[in-house]
Amino acid sequence: MTDSSLENSNSRVMQRDANGRLLPGSGGRPAGSKNLRVNGALTDLRSMSPDAVEVVRTAIANGDVRTATWLLERLLPASRVVELPGSDVQDIINALAAGDISPTEAKTIAHTIAHLKNVSEIDELRAQVDSLGRLLRGEE
């Protein structure tokens, strides 16, 4: 094995930098993936949620706002979940006008939808280019 590369079980060469860290796109786990230990811990935490809620109730009843806040910050999502009747621009405008979502949430939703649309268009273009390539090679 050299400092610049290691082989994994799939026989792919994983490129590493001078510090031994994997270079982007050279193998390893995908960004944001969790290992089994983290998944197990998350499962354990989810199963403790009812107990944690009871601890929050007790802490609030005893005036321990610091403990209640700490637990709630870890139990609840960092941002709220927003449900819209549809995903077109008018649905976002209606929710914003009704006060169901904030301007920041409307902006985030609109950007997410635009990004997903762009990804979808790129996938369609890629499929068309592949199809044209097969036609030019006489495979279709």
Side-chain angles (χ1 to χ4, degrees):
M1 267 186 258
T2 65
D3 289 337
S4 62
S5 68
L6 291 174
E7 289 192 37
N8 68 8
S9 61
N10 293 331
S11 298
R12 288 187 318 205
V13 175
M14 296 188 291
Q15 302 295 321
R16 296 184 181 265
D17 66 11
N19 295 322
R21 294 177 295 213
L22 286 174
L23 295 174
S26 67
R29 275 198 316 265
S33 68
K34 295 174 178 59
N35 65 27
L36 293 177
R37 188 175 9 213
V38 171
N39 282 336
L42 289 173
T43 300
D44 290 345
L45 284 173
R46 285 187 190 102
S47 70
M48 289 190 291
S49 291
D51 296 333
V53 169
E54 187 55 40
V55 170
V56 169
R57 283 190 181 118
T58 303
I60 291 171
N62 293 334
D64 187 359
V65 177
R66 183 181 233 161
T67 299
T69 302
W70 185 87
L71 285 167
L72 288 172
E73 286 172 349
R74 279 138 188 91
L75 288 174
L76 300 176
S79 60
R80 71 185 186 123
V81 176
V82 177
E83 291 186 36
L84 299 176
S87 62
D88 64 13
V89 174
Q90 193 59 47
D91 292 319
I92 299 170
I93 293 170
N94 291 343
L96 179 61
D100 295 334
I101 60 174
S102 71
T104 303
E105 290 169 328
K107 180 180 175 183
T108 301
I109 293 167
H111 281 213
T112 302
I113 290 170
H115 179 73
L116 291 172
K117 183 179 177 198
N118 288 340
V119 168
S120 176
E121 289 172 355
I122 289 170
D123 287 344
E124 288 175 22
L125 288 172
R126 185 173 289 130
Q128 290 175 359
V129 168
D130 289 344
S131 178
L132 286 172
R134 286 190 301 275
L135 281 172
L136 288 172
R137 290 187 301 270
E139 295 175 3
E140 284 188 10

Coordinates of all heavy atoms in Angstrom, one line a residue, residues 69-107:
T69 N -35.1 22.9 27.8 CA -34.6 23.5 26.5 C -33.6 22.5 25.8 O -33.7 22.3 24.6 CB -34.0 24.8 26.7 OG1 -35.0 25.7 27.3 CG2 -33.6 25.5 25.4
W70 N -32.7 22.0 26.6 CA -31.6 21.2 26.1 C -32.2 19.9 25.5 O -31.9 19.5 24.3 CB -30.7 20.8 27.2 CG -29.5 20.0 26.8 CD1 -28.3 20.4 26.3 CD2 -29.4 18.5 26.7 NE1 -27.5 19.4 26.0 CE2 -28.1 18.2 26.2 CE3 -30.2 17.5 27.0 CZ2 -27.7 16.9 26.0 CZ3 -29.8 16.2 26.8 CH2 -28.6 15.9 26.3
L71 N -33.2 19.3 26.2 CA -33.8 18.1 25.6 C -34.6 18.4 24.4 O -34.6 17.6 23.4 CB -34.7 17.4 26.7 CG -33.9 16.7 27.8 CD1 -34.9 16.4 28.9 CD2 -33.3 15.4 27.2
L72 N -35.4 19.5 24.4 CA -36.2 19.8 23.2 C -35.4 20.1 22.0 O -35.8 19.7 20.9 CB -37.2 21.0 23.6 CG -38.3 20.6 24.5 CD1 -39.0 21.9 24.9 CD2 -39.3 19.6 23.9
E73 N -34.3 20.8 22.2 CA -33.4 21.1 21.1 C -32.9 19.8 20.4 O -32.6 19.8 19.2 CB -32.2 21.9 21.5 CG -32.6 23.4 21.8 CD -31.5 24.2 22.4 OE1 -30.4 23.6 22.8 OE2 -31.6 25.4 22.5
R74 N -32.7 18.7 21.2 CA -32.2 17.5 20.6 C -33.3 16.5 20.1 O -33.1 15.7 19.3 CB -31.4 16.8 21.7 CG -30.0 17.4 21.7 CD -29.4 17.5 23.1 NE -28.2 18.3 23.0 CZ -28.1 19.6 23.1 NH1 -29.2 20.3 23.2 NH2 -26.9 20.2 23.1
L75 N -34.6 16.7 20.6 CA -35.7 15.9 20.2 C -36.4 16.4 18.9 O -36.8 15.6 18.1 CB -36.7 15.7 21.3 CG -36.3 14.9 22.5 CD1 -37.4 15.0 23.6 CD2 -36.1 13.4 22.1
L76 N -36.5 17.7 18.8 CA -37.2 18.3 17.7 C -36.3 18.6 16.5 O -35.2 18.9 16.7 CB -37.9 19.6 18.2 CG -38.9 19.4 19.4 CD1 -39.4 20.8 19.9 CD2 -40.0 18.5 19.0
P77 N -36.9 18.6 15.3 CA -36.1 18.9 14.2 C -35.6 20.4 14.3 O -36.2 21.2 14.9 CB -37.1 18.8 13.0 CG -38.3 18.3 13.5 CD -38.3 18.3 15.0
A78 N -34.5 20.6 13.6 CA -33.9 22.0 13.7 C -34.8 23.0 13.0 O -34.9 24.2 13.4 CB -32.5 22.0 13.0
S79 N -35.5 22.6 12.0 CA -36.5 23.5 11.3 C -37.8 22.8 11.3 O -37.9 21.6 11.3 CB -36.0 23.9 9.9 OG -35.9 22.7 9.2
R80 N -38.8 23.5 11.2 CA -40.1 22.9 11.2 C -40.5 22.3 9.9 O -40.0 22.7 8.8 CB -41.2 23.9 11.6 CG -41.5 25.0 10.6 CD -42.5 26.0 11.2 NE -42.9 26.9 10.2 CZ -44.2 27.1 9.8 NH1 -45.1 26.4 10.4 NH2 -44.5 27.9 8.9
V81 N -41.4 21.3 9.9 CA -41.8 20.7 8.7 C -43.0 21.5 8.1 O -43.9 21.8 8.9 CB -42.2 19.2 8.9 CG1 -42.8 18.6 7.7 CG2 -41.0 18.5 9.5
V82 N -43.0 21.8 6.9 CA -44.1 22.6 6.3 C -44.8 21.7 5.2 O -44.1 21.1 4.4 CB -43.5 23.8 5.6 CG1 -44.6 24.6 4.9 CG2 -42.8 24.7 6.6
E83 N -46.1 21.6 5.3 CA -46.8 20.8 4.4 C -47.7 21.8 3.5 O -48.4 22.6 4.0 CB -47.8 19.8 5.1 CG -47.0 18.7 5.7 CD -48.0 17.7 6.3 OE1 -49.0 17.4 5.7 OE2 -47.7 17.1 7.4
L84 N -47.5 21.6 2.2 CA -48.3 22.4 1.3 C -49.2 21.5 0.5 O -48.9 20.4 0.2 CB -47.3 23.2 0.3 CG -46.4 24.2 0.9 CD1 -45.4 24.7 -0.1 CD2 -47.1 25.3 1.6
P85 N -50.4 22.1 0.0 CA -51.3 21.2 -0.8 C -50.7 20.8 -2.1 O -51.1 19.9 -2.7 CB -52.5 22.1 -1.0 CG -52.0 23.5 -0.7 CD -50.9 23.4 0.2
G86 N -49.7 21.6 -2.6 CA -49.1 21.3 -3.9 C -47.7 21.8 -3.9 O -47.2 22.3 -2.9
S87 N -47.0 21.7 -5.1 CA -45.7 22.2 -5.1 C -45.4 23.2 -6.2 O -44.3 23.5 -6.6 CB -44.7 21.0 -5.4 OG -45.0 20.4 -6.6
D88 N -46.5 23.9 -6.7 CA -46.2 24.9 -7.7 C -46.1 26.3 -7.0 O -46.3 26.4 -5.8 CB -47.3 24.9 -8.8 CG -48.7 25.3 -8.3 OD1 -48.8 25.7 -7.2 OD2 -49.7 25.0 -9.1
V89 N -45.8 27.3 -7.8 CA -45.5 28.6 -7.2 C -46.7 29.2 -6.5 O -46.6 29.8 -5.5 CB -45.0 29.5 -8.4 CG1 -44.9 31.0 -7.9 CG2 -43.7 29.0 -9.0
Q90 N -47.9 29.0 -7.1 CA -49.1 29.5 -6.5 C -49.4 28.9 -5.1 O -49.8 29.7 -4.2 CB -50.3 29.3 -7.4 CG -51.5 30.1 -7.0 CD -51.2 31.6 -7.0 OE1 -50.7 32.2 -7.9 NE2 -51.6 32.3 -5.9
D91 N -49.0 27.7 -4.9 CA -49.2 27.1 -3.6 C -48.3 27.7 -2.5 O -48.7 28.0 -1.4 CB -48.9 25.6 -3.6 CG -49.9 24.8 -4.4 OD1 -51.1 25.1 -4.3 OD2 -49.5 23.9 -5.2
I92 N -47.1 28.1 -3.0 CA -46.1 28.8 -2.1 C -46.6 30.2 -1.8 O -46.7 30.6 -0.6 CB -44.7 28.8 -2.7 CG1 -44.2 27.4 -2.9 CG2 -43.8 29.6 -1.8 CD1 -42.9 27.3 -3.7
I93 N -47.1 30.9 -2.8 CA -47.6 32.2 -2.6 C -48.8 32.2 -1.7 O -48.9 33.1 -0.8 CB -48.0 32.9 -4.0 CG1 -46.7 33.1 -4.8 CG2 -48.7 34.2 -3.8 CD1 -46.9 33.5 -6.2
N94 N -49.7 31.3 -1.9 CA -50.9 31.2 -1.0 C -50.6 30.9 0.4 O -51.1 31.5 1.3 CB -51.9 30.1 -1.6 CG -52.5 30.5 -2.9 OD1 -52.5 31.6 -3.3 ND2 -53.0 29.5 -3.6
A95 N -49.6 30.0 0.7 CA -49.2 29.7 2.0 C -48.5 30.9 2.7 O -48.8 31.2 3.8 CB -48.3 28.5 2.0
L96 N -47.8 31.6 1.9 CA -47.1 32.9 2.4 C -48.1 33.9 2.7 O -48.1 34.5 3.8 CB -46.1 33.4 1.4 CG -45.3 34.6 1.7 CD1 -44.5 34.4 3.0 CD2 -44.4 35.0 0.6
A97 N -49.1 34.1 1.8 CA -50.1 35.2 2.0 C -51.0 34.8 3.2 O -51.4 35.7 3.9 CB -50.9 35.3 0.7
A98 N -51.2 33.5 3.4 CA -52.1 33.1 4.6 C -51.3 33.2 5.9 O -51.9 33.0 6.9 CB -52.6 31.7 4.3
G99 N -50.0 33.3 5.8 CA -49.2 33.3 7.1 C -48.9 32.0 7.5 O -48.4 31.8 8.7
D100 N -49.1 30.9 6.7 CA -48.8 29.6 7.1 C -47.2 29.3 7.1 O -46.8 28.5 7.8 CB -49.4 28.6 6.2 CG -50.9 28.6 6.3 OD1 -51.4 29.0 7.3 OD2 -51.6 28.2 5.3
I101 N -46.5 30.1 6.2 CA -45.1 30.0 6.2 C -44.5 31.4 6.2 O -45.1 32.3 5.8 CB -44.6 29.2 4.9 CG1 -45.0 29.9 3.6 CG2 -45.1 27.7 4.9 CD1 -44.5 29.2 2.3
S102 N -43.2 31.4 6.6 CA -42.5 32.7 6.7 C -41.9 33.0 5.3 O -41.8 32.1 4.5 CB -41.4 32.7 7.7 OG -40.4 31.8 7.3
P103 N -41.5 34.3 5.0 CA -40.8 34.6 3.8 C -39.6 33.7 3.6 O -39.3 33.3 2.5 CB -40.5 36.1 3.9 CG -41.5 36.6 4.8 CD -41.8 35.5 5.8
T104 N -38.8 33.5 4.7 CA -37.6 32.6 4.6 C -38.0 31.2 4.2 O -37.3 30.6 3.4 CB -36.9 32.6 5.9 OG1 -36.5 34.0 6.3 CG2 -35.6 31.8 5.9
E105 N -39.0 30.7 4.8 CA -39.5 29.3 4.4 C -39.9 29.3 3.0 O -39.6 28.3 2.2 CB -40.6 28.8 5.3 CG -40.1 28.6 6.7 CD -41.2 28.3 7.7 OE1 -42.3 28.9 7.6 OE2 -41.0 27.5 8.7
A106 N -40.6 30.3 2.5 CA -41.1 30.4 1.1 C -39.9 30.4 0.2 O -39.9 29.6 -0.8 CB -42.0 31.6 0.9
K107 N -38.9 31.1 0.5 CA -37.7 31.2 -0.3 C -37.0 29.9 -0.3 O -36.6 29.4 -1.4 CB -36.7 32.3 0.3 CG -35.5 32.4 -0.5 CD -34.6 33.5 0.1 CE -33.2 33.6 -0.5 NZ -32.4 34.6 0.1

